[in-house]
Amino acid sequence: MKYKKLAKAIIENVGGKENVNSVVHCITRLRFKLKDEGKANTQVLEKMDGVVTVRQSGGQYQVVIGNHVPDVYKAVVAEGGFELNRPVDDPDDNSDKGSLLDRFIDMISGIFQPILAVLVASGMIKGFNALFIAAGWLNEASGTYQVLNAIGDALFYFLPIFLGYTAMKKFGGTPFLGMLIAGALVYPALDPSAQAGEPLYTLFAGTLFESPVHIEFFGIPIILMTYAMSVIPIIFSTFFAAKLENFFAKIVPDVVKTFIVPMLTVLIIVPLTFIVIGPIATWASQLLGAGTIWLYELSPVIAGAVVGAFWLVFVMFGLHWGLVPIGINNFASQGWDPILALMFVHSFALAGALTAIWIRTKKQKLKTLTPPAIISAIFGVTEPGMYGIALPLKKPFIFTLIASGIGGALLGLFGTIGYTMGGLGIFQLPSFIHPEEGMNAAFIGALIAAVVGTVLAFVLTYFFSGANKENEESTQPAPQAEDNTKQNVTSEVIKSPLNGEVFKLADISDSVFASGALGKGVAIKPSEGKLISPVAGTVSALFETQHAIGIVTEHGAELLVHIGMDTVQLEGKFFNAHVAQGDKIEKGQLLIEFDIEAIEKAGYNIFTPVVITNFDQYTSIETAEEGTIQVGKPIIFLEK
């Protein structure tokens, strides 16, 4: 029921189910393709319980949920009827496809996302099996090892069949046709190793592409390739197959279309793949693999630093989907891959930064959020900690990138590479075990890099990020007055610093302010962009972004005025302060000017909390009734 309610709210705020072309999910996100992203209410979604944040990238509207996204996805599909009414990618979708890069990333993610979970699971089983061998718990002749190896290896060996399904679906064709094409490619009798005797002749003799020919198709030579564990050939093949199927679907009579269209499609595309598409795509994949290895070997340290430092940035924009297939292709064509290995430290670095935040912060909400985010990061799921905590605080995110980059450089220095598609976070570690050497120096180097990245991110965040400084939190807590003023409060009436409408604090969207945790008071929706000092006193805090100001009145009340919700993200744009921290101010003095229209146009709520932060020093705090208010009219009544 909890997920059903959340699903309903999500669908409503992405513009309703009629605005959804398709929805899929990855490890932590719902990925919508919307007809009009302008209809989505991003601000409401970002503040919704159960939603970490929202990202728009790669032509997708991404609602970041966290570890329980599969349950939310099922509820969304059930609530919206998407599984019954729409394919993963609607071939009739005429919405804007975005830039060429967006379309490429969307294509790759659409092909690999559906199998990513089982791909990672299979890699973990293979990695743990290698760990059992290296530790001497199993030997390769044992039945236990062979069964575990079959479980872990099956998806990789028959990877073209899985990709045949997802790629054909992505390209708008019939998925089972894609599986049939891939099945023909991995058919045992057509594997080069199954051919006996001398070849009929050799093509391209003396070149890089020299190929023996053992069989022909109606006199046309077929260059047999090993397509098991391959990636690129089936993607190219299904692309052309989908075009061919759609062509035949338009010209074949309806009465025989059901079986004639697939028959004609496979009769053409399978031989064409064996003769032309397969060999060319295989050579391309080998060149791609060799090219990435060549770039890596130019400077493993630099490669590690770049991949490590920018991996979380790649994830933010969906660009990592351009690297994941390269890694998988390297496993197939080279037997090993350095690219995915070099990002190993990023999740540990994030865990280190989050731990420092957890220790230093005085915010109870942050204290509660960080432990599960730390655990998720250790297991490789970084979105909750990255979007929910580190990124809003900025410096911890930057320190995470720095530590991850240094960790990646160490991985390159130690020569750490992966020998199978590993899991995420700590589960990736077994994939670094060498097939013959076991836990060699490169494996130990991965452990060292993870420890260095974790410790470095922790130290930088703990000592230099100001993780406990409340001016770096997306919802700014109240500034504290000097100790001598706290001890000398008297009864006082606080007057309105704004023209506008008074609302109850509990009615605003920010749950922290609404709960009264930051102070007691009211919220004002200003009608004029001028903040006027309601009291005589001292500016105790003025945030760099100029969207919030703290005042200690001459009678000892500590007042916080926070202009708008989440306006810290504007980084000072549309705000102009006329005072500085430490200034003595008079009642009626202009403190801050702000552009209401521009702030709202930028997508921010302009409701402004006016609260007393040292409320615990008063026996009674009363507030004005809701309604229109003018500057200088009483809004808060304080009794000592």
Side-chain angles (χ1 to χ4, degrees):
M1 291 300 295
K2 175 177 67 175
Y3 295 134
K4 182 178 180 180
K5 184 178 179 181
L6 177 60
K8 185 176 181 180
I10 290 173
I11 292 171
E12 287 177 358
N13 285 285
V14 296
K17 58 186 178 181
E18 65 278 357
N19 193 39
V20 178
N21 277 322
S22 65
V23 57
V24 295
H25 78 90
C26 57
I27 294 177
T28 58
R29 318 177 192 202
L30 296 171
R31 295 173 176 265
F32 289 92
K33 291 187 70 177
L34 303 180
K35 294 176 182 176
D36 182 1
E37 290 189 359
K39 292 182 178 179
N41 198 334
T42 301
Q43 274 197 300
V44 172
L45 283 166
E46 287 181 329
K47 294 181 181 298
M48 197 178 292
D49 286 340
V51 174
V52 177
T53 189
V54 173
R55 285 289 178 270
Q56 292 168 262
S57 178
Q60 296 177 336
Y61 191 85
Q62 304 171 12
V63 181
V64 183
I65 300 296
N67 299 340
H68 55 285
V69 68
D71 297 313
V72 178
Y73 172 72
K74 290 176 184 176
V76 166
V77 166
E79 187 70 24
F82 301 127
E83 194 169 42
L84 296 175
N85 298 333
R86 296 177 180 88
V88 172
D89 280 280
D90 189 345
D92 297 323
D93 174 19
N94 293 317
S95 62
D96 181 28
K97 297 293 184 179
S99 68
L100 186 62
L101 177 62
D102 285 346
R103 294 167 63 184
F104 172 75
I105 295 298
D106 178 64
M107 179 193 74
I108 294 299
S109 63
I111 292 171
F112 283 92
Q113 273 177 10
I115 65 167
L116 185 61
V118 289
L119 192 69
V120 170
S122 297
M124 288 168 60
I125 293 171
K126 285 174 65 68
F128 282 122
N129 216 19
L131 178 63
F132 299 152
I133 291 290
W137 300 338
L138 292 177
N139 63 73
E140 295 183 358
S142 71
T144 302
Y145 170 82
Q146 292 179 50
V147 171
L148 290 175
N149 197 54
I151 296 171
D153 219 27
L155 183 142
F156 292 97
Y157 186 86
F158 295 107
L159 185 59
I161 296 179
F162 291 85
L163 294 179
Y165 182 95
T166 59
M168 197 68 169
K169 191 173 184 179
K170 179 66 183 176
F171 295 136
T174 302
F176 289 109
L177 269 182
M179 295 179 70
L180 176 57
I181 295 166
L185 292 181
V186 297
Y187 192 66
L190 295 180
D191 190 273
S193 62
Q195 308 306 311
E198 295 293 320
L200 300 176
Y201 46 87
T202 300
L203 293 177
F204 313 120
T207 71
L208 181 64
F209 305 107
E210 181 173 321
S211 305
V213 175
H214 288 272
I215 62 173
E216 295 178 335
F217 182 75
F218 290 114
I220 303 173
I222 291 180
I223 301 173
L224 294 177
M225 297 282 188
T226 299
Y227 294 108
M229 297 187 290
S230 64
V231 174
I232 296 179
I234 188 61
I235 293 177
F236 276 93
S237 182
T238 50
F239 174 80
F240 290 110
K243 303 294 183 186
L244 196 61
E245 182 189 11
N246 289 332
F247 169 74
F248 284 131
K250 293 176 182 177
I251 64 173
V252 173
D254 290 343
V255 69
V256 292
K257 182 180 293 184
T258 303
F259 52 89
I260 292 297
V261 169
M263 182 186 74
L264 292 176
T265 301
V266 296
L267 280 176
I268 293 174
I269 205 67
V270 171
L272 188 63
T273 300
F274 276 118
I275 295 167
V276 180
I277 298 173
I280 293 176
T282 300
W283 291 329
S285 66
Q286 291 170 349
L287 288 173
L288 178 63
T292 56
I293 302 303
W294 176 77
L295 288 172
Y296 166 76
E297 290 178 344
L298 282 178
S299 177
V301 174
I302 293 177
V306 171
V307 173
F310 290 100
W311 187 262
L312 283 176
V313 178
F314 294 157
V315 170
M316 286 174 58
F317 294 99
L319 298 177
H320 64 302
W321 284 112
L323 297 175
V324 170
I326 293 176
I328 297 172
N329 178 72
N330 286 342
F331 289 127
S333 60
Q334 312 283 346
W336 56 280
D337 170 65
I339 304 300
L340 300 182
L342 297 177
M343 60 84 171
F344 173 61
V345 176
H346 78 281
S347 58
F348 298 98
L350 180 62
L354 294 175
T355 302
I357 294 169
W358 177 67
I359 292 174
R360 291 210 63 179
T361 187
K362 296 177 182 178
K363 289 286 295 174
Q364 187 56 45
K365 184 177 180 181
L366 211 50
K367 282 278 191 188
T368 304
L369 288 175
T370 45
I374 291 167
I375 295 170
S376 293
I378 291 171
F379 292 128
V381 181
T382 54
E383 279 88 344
M386 176 174 69
Y387 289 131
I389 301 172
L391 195 57
L393 296 178
K394 296 180 183 177
K395 286 184 180 179
F397 180 70
I398 293 171
F399 292 146
T400 296
L401 299 186
I402 292 171
S404 180
I406 291 174
L410 287 174
L411 290 169
L413 181 65
F414 285 110
T416 304
I417 58 177
Y419 296 96
T420 184
M421 181 74 181
L424 299 172
I426 197 169
F427 292 124
Q428 189 180 3
L429 194 59
S431 68
F432 302 144
I433 297 174
H434 194 282
E436 284 105 30
E437 300 174 13
M439 299 180 193
N440 57 10
F443 178 86
I444 302 301
L447 293 173
I448 294 172
V451 171
V452 169
T454 305
V455 172
L456 182 60
F458 175 88
V459 170
L460 289 174
T461 303
Y462 188 89
F463 289 105
F464 302 108
S465 74
N468 66 333
K469 290 182 182 177
E470 306 190 329
N471 64 344
E472 292 190 358
E473 297 186 30
S474 56
T475 301
Q476 304 295 347
Q480 299 296 317
E482 298 295 330
D483 290 341
N484 59 352
T485 60
K486 287 184 178 180
Q487 298 170 0
N488 297 295
V489 300
T490 62
S491 300
E492 188 174 1
V493 175
I494 305 298
K495 298 181 179 180
S496 177
L498 296 161
N499 292 322
E501 288 186 72
V502 174
F503 292 85
K504 292 179 181 178
L505 204 58
D507 292 339
I508 65 175
S509 60
D510 188 293
S511 60
V512 181
F513 272 115
S515 69
L518 297 180
K520 307 297 184 183
V522 298
I524 299 176
K525 185 177 182 181
S527 58
E528 183 181 10
K530 291 183 178 181
L531 180 68
I532 306 298
S533 178
V535 296
T538 303
V539 178
S540 60
L542 179 65
F543 299 110
E544 292 181 4
T545 50
Q546 302 182 24
H547 73 292
I549 188 170
I551 300 170
V552 178
T553 74
E554 59 185 355
H555 298 297
E558 298 174 15
L559 182 67
L560 170 67
V561 182
H562 191 291
I563 304 170
M565 300 287 95
D566 293 322
T567 45
V568 64
Q569 298 179 37
L570 291 170
E571 298 182 342
K573 194 174 181 182
F574 311 132
F575 294 92
N576 181 29
H578 293 274
V579 292
Q581 187 166 323
D583 283 359
K584 297 289 184 181
I585 54 174
E586 299 297 329
K587 184 185 297 185
Q589 183 176 341
L590 177 62
L591 303 178
I592 300 173
E593 287 185 286
F594 53 99
D595 190 330
I596 296 175
E597 184 178 349
I599 293 170
E600 290 184 323
K601 191 173 181 180
Y604 293 90
N605 188 322
I606 197 62
F607 277 85
T608 299
V610 180
V611 298
I612 304 299
T613 59
N614 60 339
F615 57 89
D616 57 336
Q617 297 185 40
Y618 295 93
T619 58
S620 172
I621 298 180
E622 300 292 335
T623 58
E625 296 292 327
E626 294 182 74
T628 303
I629 196 75
Q630 292 181 334
V631 170
K633 297 295 182 180
I635 55 170
I636 304 174
F637 305 87
L638 305 173
E639 291 291 336
K640 185 178 178 182

